[in-house]
Every structure is written in structure tokens, then in C-alpha cells.
């Protein structure tokens, strides 16, 4: 009988252990929900190097000659043709879009004025819609124009063609 009692005690303990394991309280997992963000319109600005590509027709502001001038941009190359058919420049450029105002650094690779070939021309520019306004110093001047209306700059306003 003693043996039966031991077996019954053992079974009772096992039953208690099993049932206690089944009734242990678990903390419920919290379901985390995040609010769905509202769709927003994000204005993505195209890089100026892309916007400048193509042909621009312009007019010098306060210049001596009436007549159109042209700026043709292909990749990092430019070609400028002035209102005077004897004035033209070819070169390469880089942009500083993070400057205020934005800056264009042009290197003249060919033109009728031999003293300008190999020189750098520093300009400031702005693009609004399809209008490019450019204020430039003479090639070789080591400074950027201080403003678009500075007296020692050449200013041209172009429209995209």
C-alpha cells in the first residue's frame, strides 16, 4: 500500500506540475501599430546641369548691340554665340548649385580672342521656369560677380528654346 501511495503522490505532483504550467500567466504581446503617414507631395528639383541642357536664346541686359545671343549646352560643354557674329566662345563648365547665388565656372577652350583661350570665366546664375539669367566677369577675372546687377558684369537673360 505504501508503494501505491508513493505512486499516487508522484502522479499527483506530476499532474500539479502539468496543470500549473498550463495556467501560468503570460504577459500578452502588445501589438504595435504605427499611424499611416499622409501622402505628401515632395517637390523634386532637377539638377541644374540637366535643366541647362539644350539651346537658349537670349538678350544682353544693357549691352551695346541689339540682337539675340545663343547658349548651347551639351553635357558639360557650352557654346556661346553673341549678337556680334564675330563673338563666340566654346568651353567646358562646372556648377556650384549649393552656392547662393548659384555659380558657374567656365573654362574657355576656343574663341576668336586668343588671350581668353584657357582662361576661366566666373559667373553667377539663376533659373526660374524657362528663364536663365547669367551675370559673368571677363575671362581671367579671379572673382565671382557679387550680384546680378553689379556694374562690372555682363548680364544676359536667356529663354529655353
Amino acid at each position: 500500500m505504501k508503494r501505491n501511495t508513493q505512486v499516487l503522490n508522484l502522479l499527483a505532483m506530476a499532474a500539479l506540475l502539468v496543470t500549473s504550467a498550463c495556467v501560468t500567466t503570460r504577459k500578452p504581446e502588445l501589438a504595435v501599430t504605427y499611424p499611416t503617414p499622409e501622402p505628401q507631395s515632395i517637390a523634386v528639383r532637377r539638377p541644374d546641369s540637366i535643366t541647362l541642357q539644350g539651346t537658349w536664346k537670349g538678350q544682353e541686359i544693357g549691352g551695346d548691340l541689339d540682337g539675340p545671343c545663343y547658349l548651347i549646352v551639351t553635357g558639360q560643354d557650352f557654346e556661346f554665340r553673341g549678337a556680334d557674329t564675330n563673338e563666340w566662345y566654346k568651353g567646358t563648365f562646372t556648377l556650384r548649385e549649393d552656392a547662393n547665388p548659384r555659380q558657374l565656372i567656365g573654362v574657355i577652350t576656343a574663341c576668336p580672342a586668343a588671350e581668353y583661350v584657357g582662361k576661366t570665366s566666373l559667373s553667377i546664375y539663376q533659373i526660374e521656369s524657362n528663364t536663365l539669367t547669367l551675370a559673368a566677369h571677363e575671362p581671367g577675372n579671379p572673382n565671382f560677380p557679387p550680384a546680378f546687377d553689379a556694374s562690372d558684369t555682363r548680364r544676359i537673360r536667356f529663354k529655353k528654346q
Side-chain angles (χ1 to χ4, degrees):
M1 178 98 159
K2 191 170 188 181
R3 188 178 163 136
N4 283 344
T5 308
Q6 286 179 342
V7 171
L8 285 175
N9 282 340
L10 196 57
L11 286 174
M13 286 178 80
L16 283 173
L17 284 174
V18 169
T19 57
S20 68
C22 290
V23 285
T24 57
T25 57
R26 294 177 102 185
K27 291 184 180 177
E29 292 183 24
L30 297 177
V32 179
T33 58
Y34 296 99
T36 304
E38 293 293 321
Q40 295 180 359
S41 170
I42 298 174
V44 177
R45 190 176 74 78
R46 287 178 20 171
D48 291 347
S49 58
I50 301 295
T51 304
L52 286 173
Q53 300 299 307
T55 301
W56 298 78
K57 181 179 179 181
Q59 184 71 41
E60 189 164 353
I61 301 167
D64 295 335
L65 295 174
D66 282 336
C69 52
Y70 296 89
L71 177 67
I72 301 146
V73 178
T74 307
Q76 294 299 117
D77 297 325
F78 72 87
E79 181 176 342
F80 173 81
R81 301 225 170 249
D84 175 354
T85 57
N86 294 317
E87 181 192 20
W88 57 269
Y89 301 92
K90 291 183 180 183
T92 60
F93 71 94
T94 56
L95 301 177
R96 291 186 182 159
E97 294 185 46
D98 57 344
N100 187 16
R102 295 181 182 139
Q103 300 173 341
L104 183 146
I105 303 161
V107 177
I108 309 300
T109 58
C111 73
E115 67 272 16
Y116 289 154
V117 176
K119 298 272 175 110
T120 300
S121 178
L122 302 178
S123 309
I124 57 174
Y125 72 94
Q126 70 180 16
I127 301 172
E128 293 175 335
S129 298
N130 285 331
T131 302
L132 165 67
T133 304
L134 188 70
H137 274 153
E138 181 177 10
N141 185 325
N143 301 309
F144 284 96
F148 287 98
D149 60 353
S151 62
D152 61 341
T153 62
R154 186 171 183 189
R155 296 175 306 250
I156 303 172
R157 184 165 292 122
F158 295 96
K159 290 280 186 187
K160 185 90 177 242
Q161 298 298 292

